[in-house]
Amino acid sequence: MKCMVVLLACAAAGLAQSCAPQPGAQNLAKSGAVRQSSIYSALYPAEKAIDGIKETNSFTRPCAITAYEKGAWWQVDLRNSYKVGSVVIVNRGDCCSDRLKGAEIRVGNSANNNNQVCATITNISQTTITVCCNGMEGRYLSIVIPGRNEYLQLCEVEVYGEESKNEGQKLCW
Ligand SMILES: *[C@@H]1O[C@H](CO)[C@@H](O)[C@H](O)[C@H]1NC(C)=O
């Protein structure tokens, strides 16, 4: 019974808490290897999403932008498996922010972007979108726009989490 109480307390805390990264937390994406399904032009490669520049005007400082295509995706290989806590995505802001609507964040160990979905972007009212992955594990994190022809535009993507090998059980992630 004691166990039950503890679990419920933690679940409640998890719901109440935002998963925003702690100040000073290491952005795992920065040292990852990135690629995307296609490139709108040479100015907008996948690396623009991990260049540390959060400018949302893609004309001022280019973002990562794919061609207009079905199932456009962007992926970061974190080089090791991590329990992903949160993902901070900076959307394009000078126009067409709604292109990111419906984009899925997928985390897992398949390099083919067919991993489990940790969240779907539905609210693009803010250019900075924080997504909670609740410790979903994997080496690859993808952002995919399923089912329609679209440009995928990412001005920055930050990934926060803990290395999977660390088996120290954390009751409250
Ligand atoms: C979208 O997010 C904004 C800012 O966080 C919030 O004020 C608004 O209610 C949200 N809209 C929906 C439809 O959830």
Side-chain angles (χ1 to χ4, degrees):
M1 226 33 207
K2 202 167 191 179
C3 240
M4 192 74 157
V5 171
V6 169
L7 284 174
L8 285 173
C10 287
L15 285 175
Q17 255 172 13
S18 144
C19 68
Q22 298 295 313
Q26 188 196 353
N27 169 16
L28 305 170
K30 201 99 175 72
S31 47
V34 292
R35 57 196 189 109
Q36 62 189 25
S37 51
S38 62
I39 186 169
Y40 177 69
S41 88
L43 283 176
Y44 309 101
E47 286 76 12
K48 295 294 180 186
I50 55 162
D51 62 5
I53 300 167
K54 293 184 173 180
E55 171 62 55
T56 64
N57 185 330
S58 195
F59 291 103
T60 311
R61 303 301 295 269
C63 303
I65 307 179
T66 68
Y68 183 73
E69 64 179 348
K70 195 159 192 171
W73 56 264
W74 179 94
Q75 182 196 73
V76 57
D77 172 1
L78 301 170
R79 303 177 196 272
N80 270 304
S81 190
Y82 289 89
K83 293 178 181 173
V84 177
S86 60
V87 184
V88 179
I89 295 164
V90 180
N91 193 3
R92 184 173 172 186
D94 59 289
C95 84
C96 43
S97 302
D98 58 325
R99 288 174 180 167
L100 201 56
K101 261 194 181 169
E104 295 174 342
I105 291 74
R106 295 175 166 259
V107 176
N109 287 312
S110 163
N112 296 326
N113 306 312
N114 54 355
N115 293 303
Q116 269 194 289
V117 175
C118 103
T120 300
I121 295 174
T122 54
N123 189 341
I124 47 95
S125 66
Q126 313 274 72
T127 49
T128 299
I129 299 161
T130 302
V131 160
C132 302
C133 288
N134 304 308
M136 191 177 274
E137 285 191 68
R139 169 174 169 173
Y140 299 94
L141 184 139
S142 314
I143 300 175
V144 184
I145 302 178
R148 70 175 197 267
N149 284 307
E150 194 57 279
Y151 301 93
L152 175 59
Q153 318 180 114
L154 300 164
C155 292
E156 197 70 11
V157 177
E158 295 175 344
V159 179
Y160 297 93
E162 290 187 349
E163 212 159 346
S164 293
K165 283 163 206 152
N166 185 349
E167 284 305 314
Q169 292 286 341
K170 274 203 163 179
L171 205 46
C172 299
W173 167 255

